[in-house]
């Protein structure tokens, strides 16, 4: 560490030192999601609560909290589950107070990305939200006056790299923030960079591995290391599965993949694995849906075979699905940090096995000279083309006792190179570039236990390297273009307007649901990068206050992605290829993949606006976009459940799954005043005389209810469970 660095074992002493360095006006920048140093943040927040002279401004994104539930039934359901998953993890005190609107007057919290829907009704957070593209976050953090940055890091001592730590889950912004803060410091502004060590955090190398001395303070308190916050696996509905299936049709072997978190991303990963490992079953669904005929864009840019060349992952978020793709042998296309080398690989002029032919090609491309010079030999050794035993001495190539000149036209030299000097394979290949990660506990465990050689194929890095093509210290535009061949950037949207605008982060009344994040960056990059496509996935319908509504709408008073960046949209009813199309075709292609209950009205609106020929009529082949058709399509895969609700495991017990479905049904049934009265009337008459639901009532703590509230809750649970056995056919059920 540098002379100014300090390693402290007491969190309060760490806070004292920060205040000594920067004073009591603290603008604290924290990583998005998992990388928040909970012990230090809680101590700073507590100090601010105790000392009103401190002005604490926290700038961050995605503050993670264990779910609590709102109604009495939800709290009973979530309590044991949250204790099981999060009971040993200290809670972010400021984040909980934000949800309760209990921040003290001297503390402000601004986020540029919310957990979806978490702050829709929180006026303070809506007011303090900062709208920023992910790639502009560092600029905007500096604009907010950040003078303290704190992050949880993985200690290097566990992997024999003394003096190093790993930014692990969050190099995304920190790699670019550190030099900016040091520039600020050099100009006379006091700053403090704080690292909180946690041995549970997987150690990731490459760009994420930095000198410990780049931090001013290092909190080393191993006795209080806590487990990592996990994001449970979400159930994948049949509709989600079919969206994922259609998206998997658009992936090209040898291409590049970006995908986000959630059930739609998990569904894509699952269908991609089925396409690779169980291609016959996958093709049965493909043929049943007549994908080639109905959506010819698949023939143009996608595929339906195995991934023999493999995919390369380049995603701001490394979701756990990328590890499943790696295990399945799909995430296997390695890219190299040299544009010229990568371009030769892309064109098939060289492969990853060193040979004399490779040397000749490298020479023709101007990457090496003949006779070979010292810099050529060092370069060839660094990429594994030459064995590490090869040296350049006295103008000659030497291995042990053998020595030849560097003339690649000399038969003796060629013989010696082929016999004893070539390496086994290219080195330095990366199959996954990620900016941050968060996921279930088994994801973290897999990263911790992953063999070093496999983990070295993952490079956690700056989000500005990943999310845009502009030059960056970690790679210029030429390199990025070479690596990201056949890019498929897959993100989700909430709604889509018929004129081609995506609604992904907010509502028409101005409230923010989540944030832009990196979605705009990837959509824009897809239009700039040769051969790339932006794919927005979206459920065709949603339920609101007891009604089914279309997510494809005529217009909407908010958009995240403007209409001039329209590209590909996927619902459970198909694929709309919008790039370069006339407005009439855009309107019709979106109506084609809308739920059939809403197609006539959408067409009527489009025709009234003069966007579609008045004589156009809906073709019969478009009019089977129903939930029943979704299930029929998935069933075409044959025997066995190829599309289960939890293909990658689950955190909920069997009892919790049953109770969760019952509570979900109750919530839907009571969305309206009439539905609430009807449900209560039916619930008070419900009973469990045979004791069929006793074990489930015990899980809810309602086996022996006391008082009117608990008795009513018990009856509601019984009624909800009974409804599961004979669910009404609403045409819009979910798993």
């Amino acid at each position: 560490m540098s002379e100014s660095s300090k390693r402290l074992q007491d969190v309060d002493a760490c806070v004292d030192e920060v205040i000594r360095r920067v004073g009591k006006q603290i603008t604290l920048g924290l990583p998005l999601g998992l990388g928040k140093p909970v012990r230090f943040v809680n101590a700073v927040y507590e100090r601010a609560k105790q000392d009103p002279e401190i002005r604490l401004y926290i700038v961050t994104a995605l503050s993670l909290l264990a779910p609590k539930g709102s109604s009495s039934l939800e709290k009973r359901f979530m309590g044991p589950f949250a204790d099981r998953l999060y009971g040993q993890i200290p809670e972010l005190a400021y984040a909980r107070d934000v949800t309760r609107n209990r921040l003290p007057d001297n503390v402000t919290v601004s986020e540029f990305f919310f957990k979806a829907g978490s702050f829709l009704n929180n006026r303070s957070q809506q007011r303090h939200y900062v709208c920023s593209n992910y790639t502009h976050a560092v600029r905007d953090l500096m604009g907010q006056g950040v003078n303290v940055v704190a992050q949880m890091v993985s200690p290097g001592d566990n992997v024999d790299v003394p003096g190093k730590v790993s930014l692990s889950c969050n190099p995304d912004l920190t790699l670019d923030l550190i030099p900016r803060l040091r520039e600020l410091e050099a100009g006379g502004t006091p700053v403090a960079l704080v690292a909180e060590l946690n041995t549970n955090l997987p150690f990731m190398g490459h760009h994420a591995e930095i000198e410990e001395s780049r931090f001013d303070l290092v909190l080393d308190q191993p006795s209080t290391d806590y487990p990592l916050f996990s994001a449970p696996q979400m159930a994948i509905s049949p509709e989600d599965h079919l969206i994922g299936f259609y998206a998997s049709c658009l992936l090209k072997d040898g291409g590049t993949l970006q995908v986000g978190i959630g059930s739609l991303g998990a569904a894509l990963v699952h269908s991609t694995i089925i396409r690779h490992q169980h291609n016959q079953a996958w093709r049965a669904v493909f043929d049943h849906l007549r994908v080639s005929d109905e959506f010819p864009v698949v023939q143009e840019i996608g595929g339906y075979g195995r991934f023999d060349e493999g995919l390369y992952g380049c995603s701001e978020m490394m979701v756990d699905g990328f590890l499943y793709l790696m295990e399945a042998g799909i995430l296997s296309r390695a890219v190299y940090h040299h544009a010229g080398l990568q371009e030769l690989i892309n064109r098939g002029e060289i492969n990853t096995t060193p040979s004399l032919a490779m040397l000749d090609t490298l020479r023709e491309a101007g990457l090496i000279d003949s006779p070979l010079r010292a810099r050529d030999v060092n370069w060839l050794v660094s990429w594994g083309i030459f064995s590490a035993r090869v040296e350049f001495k006295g103008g000659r190539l030497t291995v042990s006792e053998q020595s030849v000149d560097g003339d690649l036209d000399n038969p003796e030299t060629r013989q010696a190179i082929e016999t004893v000097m070539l390496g086994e394979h290219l080195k330095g290949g990366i199959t996954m570039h990620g900016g941050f990660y968060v996921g279930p506990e088994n994801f973290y465990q897999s990263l911790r236990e992953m063999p070093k050689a496999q983990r070295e194929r993952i490079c956690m890095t700056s989000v500005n390297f990943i999310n845009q093509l502009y030059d960056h210290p970690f790679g210029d535009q030429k390199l990025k273009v070479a690596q990201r061949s056949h890019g498929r950037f897959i993100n989700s949207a909430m709604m889509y307007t018929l004129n081609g605008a995506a609604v992904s982060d907010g509502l028409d009344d101005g409230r923010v649901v989540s944030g832009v994040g990196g979605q705009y960056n990837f959509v824009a990059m897809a239009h700039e990068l040769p051969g790339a496509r932006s794919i927005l996935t979206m459920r065709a319908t949603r339920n609101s206050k007891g009604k089914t509504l279309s997510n494809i709408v005529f217009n909407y008073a908010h958009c995240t992605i403007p209409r001039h960046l329209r590209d590909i949209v996927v619902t459970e009813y198909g694929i709309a290829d919008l790039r370069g199309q006339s407005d009439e075709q855009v309107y019709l292609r979106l109506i084609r993949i809308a739920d059939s209950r809403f197609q006539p009205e959408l067409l009527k609106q489009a025709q009234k606006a003069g966007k579609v020929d008045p004589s156009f009529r809906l073709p019969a082949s478009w009019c089977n976009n129903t939930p029943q058709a979704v299930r029929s399509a998935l069933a075409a895969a044959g025997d066995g459940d190829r599309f289960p609700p939890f293909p990658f495991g689950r955190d909920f017990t069997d009892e919790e799954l049953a109770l969760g479905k019952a509570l979900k049904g109750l919530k839907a049934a009571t969305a309206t005043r009439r539905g609430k009265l009807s449900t209560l009337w039916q619930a008070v008459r419900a009973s469990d005389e045979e004791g069929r639901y006793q074990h489930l009532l015990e899980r809810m703590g309602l086996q022996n209810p006391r008082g009117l509230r608990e008795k009513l809750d018990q009856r509601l649970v019984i009624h909800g469970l009974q409804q599961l056995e004979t669910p009404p056919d609403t045409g819009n059920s979910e798993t």
Side-chain angles (χ1 to χ4, degrees), residues 166-186:
S166 174
L167 301 175
S168 190
C169 58
N170 281 100
D172 50 338
L173 302 180
T174 307
L175 284 172
D176 295 326
L177 265 175
I178 290 176
R180 296 284 292 273
L181 282 170
R182 292 307 181 201
E183 289 176 8
L184 198 66
E185 185 179 46

Side-chain angles (χ1 to χ4, degrees), residues 562-620:
R563 63 194 295 260
H564 65 271
L565 291 178
R566 57 199 185 192
D567 201 344
I568 292 177
V569 180
V570 175
T571 74
E572 62 266 37
Y573 301 122
I575 304 165
D577 179 14
L578 310 180
R579 181 183 285 192
Q581 298 299 311
S582 67
D583 271 8
E584 182 173 48
Q585 279 300 309
V586 169
Y587 277 65
L588 289 176
R589 291 183 182 195
L590 287 168
I591 292 171
R592 165 69 181 86
I593 64 169
D595 188 288
S596 288
R597 288 169 285 183
F598 304 98
Q599 288 174 324
E601 180 60 26
L602 289 170
L603 178 60
K604 180 180 177 181
Q605 290 175 295
Q607 290 172 327
K608 183 178 180 181
K611 287 294 185 178
V612 172
D613 188 325
S615 66
F616 182 86
R617 298 293 179 265
L618 291 169

Side-chain angles (χ1 to χ4, degrees), residues 621-726:
S621 61
W622 292 18
C623 299
N624 190 36
N625 290 354
T626 66
Q628 291 81 4
V630 169
R631 285 149 181 77
S632 296
L634 297 179
D639 295 338
D641 189 0
R642 293 285 185 187
F643 299 94
F646 293 97
F648 304 119
R650 54 183 167 89
D651 296 289
F652 292 104
T653 65
D654 291 341
E655 290 83 1
E656 287 167 344
L657 284 179
L659 287 165
K661 290 179 181 180
L663 295 183
K664 184 176 181 180
L666 287 171
K667 190 170 186 177
T670 57
T672 63
R673 177 177 175 82
R674 182 176 180 180
K676 186 176 295 185
L677 292 174
S678 175
T679 300
L680 288 173
W681 173 248
Q682 295 176 69
V684 296
R685 300 161 61 190
S687 65
D688 182 30
E689 295 179 356
E690 298 177 0
R692 296 173 58 197
Y693 306 121
Q694 188 63 23
H695 63 296
L696 297 174
L697 294 173
E698 289 177 3
R699 166 60 180 78
M700 294 289 286
L702 292 170
Q703 68 272 32
N704 296 307
R706 297 179 181 178
L708 183 60
R709 175 75 261 180
E710 288 192 4
K711 290 179 180 179
L712 180 58
D713 279 350
Q714 184 197 60
R715 297 294 180 91
L716 282 167
V717 171
I718 293 171
H719 172 66
L721 291 168
Q722 289 173 339
Q723 294 302 107
L724 288 181
E725 298 172 3
T726 55

Side-chain angles (χ1 to χ4, degrees), residues 401-465:
E401 303 299 322
Q402 190 166 357
S403 174
V404 294
D405 66 39
D407 185 359
L408 293 179
D409 294 323
N410 185 332
E412 181 185 356
T413 298
R414 295 178 71 85
Q415 178 65 30
I417 289 174
E418 188 171 40
T419 304
V420 297
M421 296 187 182
L422 291 175
E424 295 182 1
H425 53 77
L426 283 182
K427 295 193 307 186
I430 299 294
T431 57
M432 178 75 224
H433 278 108
F436 77 99
Y437 66 75
V438 62
E441 171 55 34
N442 61 3
F443 173 46
Y444 307 142
Q445 189 67 21
S446 294
L447 288 175
R448 285 191 290 262
E449 297 176 352
M450 187 176 288
K452 183 178 180 181
Q454 186 177 359
R455 192 166 59 243
E456 286 181 347
R457 295 175 75 82
I458 300 173
C459 178
M460 301 301 296
T461 186
S462 162
V463 74
N464 283 305
F465 170 78

Side-chain angles (χ1 to χ4, degrees), residues 219-437:
L219 178 61
D220 182 13
Q221 202 173 22
S223 63
T224 59
D225 281 359
Y226 47 88
L228 306 179
F229 192 100
S230 64
Q233 294 283 3
M234 299 176 67
I236 304 175
S237 71
E239 289 76 14
D240 294 344
H241 268 306
L242 203 53
I243 292 169
F245 178 85
Y246 277 120
S248 74
C249 300
L250 297 166
L251 303 183
K252 188 174 181 63
D253 191 16
T256 301
L257 176 64
Q258 178 261 329
V259 67
I261 195 172
S263 60
L264 292 180
L268 163 68
V269 168
H270 180 63
S271 279
T272 302
I273 292 173
I274 293 178
R275 173 179 157 183
H276 183 68
Q277 295 186 335
H278 306 284
N279 190 253
Q280 186 174 354
W282 187 93
R283 284 293 299 270
V285 179
F286 186 89
D287 293 339
H288 172 87
L289 294 167
R290 301 178 63 248
V291 174
S292 292
D293 297 330
E294 296 290 334
F295 310 107
V297 66
V298 170
Q299 296 281 43
E300 299 167 16
I301 71 164
Y304 42 78
R306 289 168 46 86
F307 294 93
D308 296 323
E309 296 179 48
L311 298 177
Y312 153 63
C314 186
S315 185
E316 63 182 18
M317 181 176 188
M318 181 174 72
V319 296
D320 59 322
F322 281 109
L323 292 197
Y324 304 134
L325 292 173
M326 187 178 288
E327 293 168 2
I330 298 170
L331 196 73
S332 59
R333 183 175 78 85
V335 300
Y336 298 86
H337 201 75
H338 190 284
L341 196 62
Q342 188 65 53
E343 288 170 349
L344 292 174
I345 293 172
N346 292 352
R347 295 196 297 266
E349 296 181 29
I350 62 173
N351 56 33
T352 58
T353 303
S355 65
L356 285 174
M358 178 187 285
L359 290 176
D360 293 336
T361 301
L362 294 173
R363 178 185 176 186
E364 291 172 8
L367 298 183
I368 58 174
D369 292 325
S370 179
L372 294 171
R373 294 175 290 177
R375 68 180 186 185
D376 298 316
V377 174
N378 291 336
W379 187 84
L380 291 168
V381 170
S382 71
W383 289 110
I385 300 168
F386 272 0
S387 165
R389 299 179 297 125
V390 179
E391 297 178 287
F392 191 78
K393 294 181 178 179
R396 297 175 66 83
L397 303 176
T398 62
V399 175
S400 300
E401 303 299 322
Q402 190 166 357
S403 174
V404 294
D405 66 39
D407 185 359
L408 293 179
D409 294 323
N410 185 332
E412 181 185 356
T413 298
R414 295 178 71 85
Q415 178 65 30
I417 289 174
E418 188 171 40
T419 304
V420 297
M421 296 187 182
L422 291 175
E424 295 182 1
H425 53 77
L426 283 182
K427 295 193 307 186
I430 299 294
T431 57
M432 178 75 224
H433 278 108
F436 77 99
Y437 66 75

Side-chain angles (χ1 to χ4, degrees), residues 186-200:
T189 300
V191 302
L193 278 75
V194 181
E196 178 176 297
L197 303 182
N198 191 329
T199 55
N200 292 308

